[in-house]
Amino acid sequence: MKLLRYGPAGQEKPGLLDTQGQVRDLSGVVSDIAGAALSSESLTKLTALDPNSLPVVAGKPQEDLRLGACVGQVGKFICIGLNYADHAAEAGMDVPPEPVIFNKWTSAIVGPDDNVQIPRGSTKTDWEVELGVVIGTGGSYIDEADALSHVAGFCVVNDVSEREFQLERAGTWDKGKGCDTFGPTGPWLVTQDEVDDFDNLAMWLDVDGTRFQDGSTATMVYKVPHLVAYCSQFMSLQPGDIISTGTPPGVGMAQSPQVYLKGGEVMSLGIEGLGTQTQRVRAFS
């Protein structure tokens, strides 16, 4: 099942994508793709629905029908750093002995095809295609063996990053990670039953038609169950929380010479089975 949120920014409604690629309205069933709607009980009920019984929403998603972030009312946007062995190598850093945790602020979250805004003073805005894990059932001190029962599904995240803010401005990574628009999320939340092998999904990112990232979740160091269990040691996980699990090689910082976004570029990215995103980059004004 592919769950989504559609409509103008700040006024999104819940929906699902049917097998014909049409959006079906879920407003009469759930108020949002958020909170209790992400529980296993709720997802079971949604899966049992006949999509043909739901109203068709006019427009083609990601063309003349805007999609918002696929999860609403996100409480925590948790990110994992240096979690791909090949990305750590290109960054000249060792694979960490435990997962590196940082945060993106929820004000960074935008739809999958919304513009990305270069922040004031930026010189090193970069890109990172990532597998997002959406929590459906909350908990603390979750056992790794039970971790997947807490996951509602998966989505695409672009972990847009300002490298100078992140690495050179005397602070935590969070400074360069949570700027407004730095968290395109979606297009849809794909439930676990539709993701055959989340440990082996192709993922890619292009800038202006040039392929920079071409990787796979297969090179992820700390896998999804471990990350869910690990994060839950330090905070309670709650329905709608997102864990963005790291990026494969090909970021702009690692190019020779380095390549950063200045404004005017178009980023296109996707993960096998989870959909694609397209963002136009806007210079600060």
Side-chain angles (χ1 to χ4, degrees):
M1 182 169 53
K2 295 180 175 68
L3 299 172
L4 54 85
R5 300 169 69 248
Y6 69 92
Q11 302 176 45
E12 292 92 348
K13 296 180 179 181
L16 62 79
L17 191 74
D18 69 18
T19 56
Q20 287 76 46
Q22 295 176 302
V23 172
R24 299 282 180 159
D25 181 38
L26 281 173
S27 297
V29 184
V30 294
S31 60
D32 199 356
I33 306 301
L38 298 169
S39 70
S40 57
E41 295 82 2
S42 174
L43 294 179
T44 297
K45 291 177 181 177
L46 292 177
T47 301
L49 291 172
D50 177 5
N52 293 321
S53 69
L54 301 169
V56 175
V57 178
K60 186 170 183 179
Q62 298 188 274
E63 291 189 11
D64 54 353
L65 176 62
R66 176 190 176 270
L67 299 186
C70 58
V71 184
Q73 306 171 44
V74 176
K76 294 189 288 296
F77 198 167
I78 306 157
C79 298
I80 308 299
L82 299 174
N83 194 35
Y84 282 68
D86 37 11
H87 172 56
E90 75 168 356
M93 300 180 184
D94 294 332
V95 172
E98 297 183 38
V100 172
I101 298 176
F102 61 93
N103 296 287
K104 295 179 86 75
W105 318 124
T106 55
S107 51
I109 297 173
V110 292
D113 307 305
D114 290 344
N115 293 337
V116 166
Q117 177 73 56
I118 301 288
R120 179 184 291 176
S122 168
T123 60
K124 298 181 179 180
T125 296
D126 204 346
W127 54 81
E128 295 188 8
V129 59
E130 304 203 0
L131 174 68
V133 177
V134 179
I135 299 299
T137 300
S140 299
Y141 303 106
I142 295 167
D143 288 335
E144 187 168 338
D146 190 44
L148 290 179
S149 70
H150 292 260
V151 173
F154 303 93
C155 63
V156 182
V157 172
N158 188 354
D159 176 19
V160 185
S161 308
E162 213 299 340
R163 301 302 188 188
E164 182 188 9
F165 298 179
Q166 176 191 356
L167 301 171
E168 303 173 34
R169 294 287 296 274
T172 64
W173 284 12
D174 303 341
K175 275 187 182 178
K177 293 288 190 172
C179 301
D180 290 355
T181 75
F182 272 25
T185 302
W188 21 78
L189 166 62
V190 183
T191 51
Q192 287 195 60
D193 57 298
E194 288 200 17
V195 183
D196 292 333
D197 186 2
F198 53 80
D199 284 334
N200 190 27
L201 299 176
M203 51 202 312
W204 54 271
L205 184 145
D206 297 347
V207 179
D208 289 340
T210 297
R211 179 66 44 96
F212 282 92
Q213 292 190 274
D214 190 4
S216 168
T217 58
T219 64
M220 190 184 291
V221 177
Y222 299 107
K223 306 297 186 181
V224 170
H226 182 78
L227 293 175
V228 172
Y230 185 85
C231 289
S232 77
Q233 296 179 40
F234 303 101
M235 67 202 85
S236 61
L237 296 177
Q238 295 152 350
D241 287 350
I242 299 171
I243 303 174
S244 198
T245 58
T247 199
V251 298
M253 178 178 64
Q255 305 303 309
S256 182
Q258 293 178 332
V259 178
Y260 292 114
L261 301 167
K262 303 298 183 184
E265 302 93 345
V266 174
M267 290 185 284
S268 302
L269 58 147
I271 298 178
E272 179 184 357
L274 302 184
T276 62
Q277 303 182 351
T278 303
Q279 297 110 29
R280 187 170 295 278
V281 182
R282 300 296 188 191
F284 180 81
S285 58

